[in-house]
Amino acid sequence: NISSQPNKLTSDFKFLQGLYSPELDERSCLSRYQSILYRKPSTHNPSPYLLSKLLEYEDLHKLCGPYTKAYSKASKRLKSGTRSTSSKCKYIIWVPANGLGNRIVSMAATFLYALLTNRVLLVDHGTDMADLFCEPFPNTSWLLPNSFPLKQQFGVTKIRHAHGFGSIAVNMSIKSQPTHLYLNLDHSDYDLDKKLFYCDKGESLLVKVTWLILLSDQYFAPSFFLSSSYKEEAWGLITRFYDAYLAKADKRAGLQVRVFQAQTTTFQIVMNQILACTMNEKILPETQTEESVDSEFRNKTSEAILVTSLHSEFYENLKDMYWTRSTVTGEVVGVYQASHEDYQHFGDNKHNMKAWVEMYLLSMSDVLVTSGFSTFGYVAQGLGGLRPWILYKTNGKKIRNPPCVRDISMEPCFHVPKIDNCQDKVKIDAGALLPYLRHCQDRKEGVKLV
Ligand code: GDP
């Protein structure tokens, strides 16, 4: 019943080591203050260095953010094509690509890039991401104003490539430094930009450019180691679901099921894999093989299983299983699913809000099972500080043995790290260079921080 104890919000917590500025309006972002009530206390504390960087960043954002003198000067210069060498204000604009999980992990990585390079992060959320997140910084906004001069170009691949980092760096005939350039880092997009960016090439060019516009669907934060909120609407959906279905359970299990090859993989195969994993590893309670009246168990503990998936079959199957059979150890099991959207709807704000709510609810689990390779699951594990059990990607009829594996850290996997040493194209193994960077279990070419 933690949610009925709002007084647990002590002032110490509220202003977490100076990070939750009193200038932030608590009512404008309930999740920021209340989310702590829904999770076990985190064992991951920010380092003093990170805290000081974040506070410095807030000052920079206030100075340069939208609707400031500095911002209007910089956007006028961008319009007229004149460069400034002196301004303290440089920007990184994040542009969405792919589904919501991809977007959130890439936004997090872009923010880290902004911190590392002293740039101001502005985000182009568009209408399909409206009202999902809070404003993170006090007395300013992180939303790119609609009047931003190049906004109409962001979606035009041809322009993005022609004015991309790679094209500009390679095209030696361009003498004058550009006022802006695109970083096309989408996993399926333009390789030249990625080659330069991940190989620390052309950095002298990047530091001079006032406006960088970054498009990625990846959690590319590990690449830095290889080189030298929401508004009340979404929060209400989270807390009401949590309070109604999950809060009273003694144990909460989250199960995220993403079926990537629906044409070749039947739901039954995926269901078999889920059961093989969760029973073998004793993640979910085992059921009696025969129907039985379990009257000897009176002091029953309860477990809530939250299933998230585009499809309803897995939820139906589990619900029926725990309804028709009692559990061997006597727990009472409730199975819940918040939505089943059937397919990914692009450009739909309500659809994205459901996805965000479900990632968040998964993050409040005590134990988490996710589908390998899915950034949707990465968001949940990262938010919750959880090391999930990963269901291996299933293709066709074959289920791998074992069907799942425990993740090595809570960090998302970077799917596409560089494969050579940049200088003389000697192949490298990015997962074998540093003790804290290892290959991901759900994608052996990928690397993750541990
Ligand atoms: P990834 O493709 O698994 O890496 O994750 P993304 O989040 O980037 O893209 C998948 C998108 O499909 C999500 O953002 C949702 O729009 C939708 N989706 C996939 N799985 C679920 C789910 O379990 N629940 C909901 N509500 N939407 C989902």
Side-chain angles (χ1 to χ4, degrees), residues 78 150 153 159 163 168 178-182 209-213:
L78 174 65
L150 306 176
Q153 301 186 350
I159 298 183
H163 217 79
I168 290 186
T179 49
H180 75 281
L181 61 78
Y182 288 89
V209 179
T210 306
W211 299 92
L212 298 182
I213 304 154

Side-chain angles (χ1 to χ4, degrees), residues 288-307:
Q288 305 272 18
T289 44
E290 285 176 17
E291 277 184 44
S292 67
V293 183
D294 53 340
S295 53
E296 68 260 41
F297 298 113
R298 289 320 313 168
N299 57 340
K300 293 176 172 138
T301 57
S302 63
E303 174 154 351
I305 303 174
L306 170 71
V307 180

Side-chain angles (χ1 to χ4, degrees), residues 99-102 258 260 308-310 339 341 344 351-352 354-355 358-359 373-376:
L100 194 63
N102 289 92
R258 186 93 164 93
F260 282 109
T308 78
S309 175
L310 284 171
S339 81
E341 295 280 278
Q344 188 172 347
H351 169 79
N352 279 343
K354 287 179 194 164
E358 288 170 38
M359 292 178 207
F373 204 67
S374 169
T375 56
F376 192 102

Side-chain angles (χ1 to χ4, degrees), residues 316-366:
E316 295 284 354
N317 214 302
L318 279 175
K319 187 196 69 181
D320 284 353
M321 182 173 107
Y322 286 109
W323 185 23
T324 54
R325 301 242 186 276
S326 55
T327 55
V328 171
T329 38
E331 296 102 327
V332 178
V333 179
V335 184
Y336 309 97
Q337 179 170 27
S339 81
H340 52 92
E341 295 280 278
D342 293 329
Y343 62 94
Q344 188 172 347
H345 310 198
F346 283 98
D348 180 341
N349 182 225
K350 285 236 154 54
H351 169 79
N352 279 343
M353 194 169 291
K354 287 179 194 164
W356 179 222
V357 165
E358 288 170 38
M359 292 178 207
Y360 212 109
L361 287 167
L362 285 171
S363 81
M364 294 163 165
S365 308
D366 299 308

